[in-house]
Amino acid sequence: MVSTTLVFTAWIFLFTSIYAVRLLNDGLYRAFKAVIILNALLFLAALLILPFPQARDLMWYSIPISPEIPGFPRLKLLAYESSHYALLMTPVFLYFILRVMTGKSNHPLLVVLAVGVPLAFSLSFGVLAALIIALIIGSIIYIRNLSATYYRYFLYGAMFTLVAALLVYFLWPENPVYTRIHNIFSGADTSAKGRLRDSFMFAFDLVRNNRLIMGIGPGQIKILAHDLIINSYQYSGEYAEVVRIPNSMAEMLATYGFYGALLKTFFLLFFFFRLKIYNNLYRFILFIFMFIYQFTGSFTVNIAELGTWAIIFSARAKEFDINRLKELKA
């Protein structure tokens, strides 16, 4: 009953968000500008408290997430952890990234710093990877519709990232970022392994015995998965105390079976084509990002994910309409 009520409140939040985004109409820029300024001010406050361990945890996330890497501060501001903060801010960050890349920003360097520095300090590999992949896919698909300015900034960003990566590699080869990347590809990273392989492994094990179609139902993961990891996987300690599936699509599979997972995918694709999301660069890239990210993290009642879907399917963002970008190129 508690979990079903939580799902119901998530639906209320989703439709309220859709209504709120529609009310904005062409005021999306003003709303996002206020958010980016507030985020910058909070980031400065976070930097001020960083040297003080007593206050640091208010805005920084220091829990170890990978073997051989001690806990170090990652930006979370007022969110409960870094990945959630990065996901919350992605619609705003992407909006201003595209404004810079399409030549619509009067102060591109300042905007890039306001977006890139906090996102980099969050060190959310899942969000960063999904965002980069979405930007690359969008750039390839609309290569004939985007101006030379867009690709110039795209090239600048790629070159800066490459140079920075090489400098860090030669000056600090054993830094936590590269160590974690190595752990991810070797399968030793606990966070990546938990969000990817373990999430779908748990989900399938929960539903494979006569529950493949409809799943185990809301609220049952914390009960059945607890028994599963103790009896089947023989986990112990803190891993056996709190059980959750930190992956939106894997949790959907476990809770509502293949019926729920396929139904969610169907509606996402249906509204993608019904609302012609592909006619707007911002909404298209944000859709690709969120579609990828739901297979790597989040959870079914995550308001950051639901709010992003509301923006994708309701925001106008006319300045990024493909037809307008074609006219600018001409």
Side-chain angles (χ1 to χ4, degrees):
M1 290 296 294
V2 171
S3 297
T4 302
T5 302
L6 187 59
V7 171
F8 178 70
T9 59
W11 275 100
I12 294 175
F13 174 83
L14 173 63
F15 288 109
T16 304
S17 299
I18 291 173
Y19 179 72
V21 172
R22 287 177 177 172
L23 282 180
L24 282 174
N25 286 328
D26 297 325
L28 195 65
Y29 170 75
R30 292 192 300 273
F32 279 1
K33 182 180 178 181
V35 172
I36 203 75
I37 291 173
L38 178 60
N39 182 76
L41 293 174
L42 288 173
F43 176 61
L44 292 176
L47 290 178
L48 291 175
I49 68 171
L50 181 58
F52 305 100
Q54 299 84 355
R56 183 185 300 155
D57 289 345
L58 291 174
M59 292 185 172
W60 298 88
Y61 188 74
S62 303
I63 297 177
I65 56 174
S66 192
E68 301 177 8
I69 302 178
F72 63 94
R74 299 165 59 212
L75 186 67
K76 70 180 182 74
L77 289 192
L78 302 180
Y80 67 87
E81 58 104 6
S82 300
S83 295
H84 192 253
Y85 161 72
L87 181 59
L88 276 169
M89 292 299 297
T90 293
V92 180
F93 286 159
L94 177 62
Y95 182 87
F96 284 101
I97 289 172
L98 291 180
R99 279 186 60 86
V100 170
M101 295 178 71
T102 53
K104 299 179 184 297
S105 177
N106 296 325
H107 307 284
L109 181 58
L110 186 62
V111 172
V112 168
L113 291 175
V115 170
V117 176
L119 191 57
F121 270 78
S122 75
L123 281 177
S124 176
F125 280 57
V127 171
L128 286 167
L131 186 57
I132 291 171
I133 292 171
L135 278 167
I136 292 173
I137 292 174
S139 301
I140 292 173
I141 290 178
Y142 295 109
I143 189 169
R144 296 183 178 180
N145 306 121
L146 301 174
S147 67
T149 302
Y150 180 95
Y151 287 99
R152 184 166 64 250
Y153 279 110
F154 190 90
L155 181 61
Y156 289 164
M159 291 178 61
F160 174 81
T161 302
L162 179 60
V163 171
L166 289 174
L167 285 175
V168 172
Y169 177 77
F170 287 111
L171 297 177
W172 189 16
E174 297 181 357
N175 67 84
V177 174
Y178 287 2
T179 302
R180 191 183 178 199
I181 291 174
H182 176 267
N183 289 343
I184 290 174
F185 283 101
S186 66
D189 187 80
T190 53
S191 178
K193 186 169 66 173
R195 292 174 184 270
L196 299 172
R197 190 196 71 179
D198 289 356
S199 289
F200 284 100
M201 177 184 68
F202 277 134
F204 183 75
D205 283 346
L206 287 170
V207 300
R208 65 179 177 178
N209 295 324
N210 303 319
R211 292 168 177 161
L212 280 172
I213 304 300
M214 302 302 292
I216 61 177
Q220 300 308 299
I221 291 176
K222 58 180 173 285
I223 298 173
L224 299 178
H226 183 269
D227 296 336
L228 178 67
I229 66 172
I230 292 177
N231 298 326
S232 298
Y233 297 111
Q234 298 181 349
Y235 281 18
S236 60
E238 62 178 323
Y239 295 104
E241 294 300 324
V242 180
V243 182
R244 66 185 184 94
I245 298 180
N247 182 301
S248 182
M249 193 56 76
E251 185 182 2
M252 179 69 74
L253 174 63
T255 305
Y256 299 106
F258 280 97
Y259 165 78
L262 292 176
L263 193 65
K264 179 184 180 182
T265 304
F266 168 78
F267 276 117
L268 291 177
L269 295 177
F270 172 79
F271 285 114
F272 174 82
F273 289 104
R274 178 71 177 83
L275 301 175
K276 299 180 180 179
I277 302 301
Y278 48 82
N279 284 336
N280 186 280
L281 181 65
Y282 171 69
R283 296 167 72 187
F284 176 80
I285 293 179
L286 193 57
F287 178 91
I288 297 298
F289 162 79
M290 199 65 253
F291 195 87
I292 293 172
Y293 190 76
Q294 68 178 342
F295 288 93
T296 65
S298 187
F299 48 96
T300 54
V301 293
N302 186 356
I303 61 172
E305 177 181 338
L306 296 175
T308 302
W309 288 124
I311 293 172
I312 292 168
F313 294 123
S314 302
R316 293 188 179 181
K318 291 182 179 180
E319 61 188 305
F320 298 114
D321 283 347
I322 296 301
N323 290 333
R324 290 196 176 190
L325 295 176
K326 282 182 181 179
E327 293 174 0
L328 290 175
K329 182 180 180 181

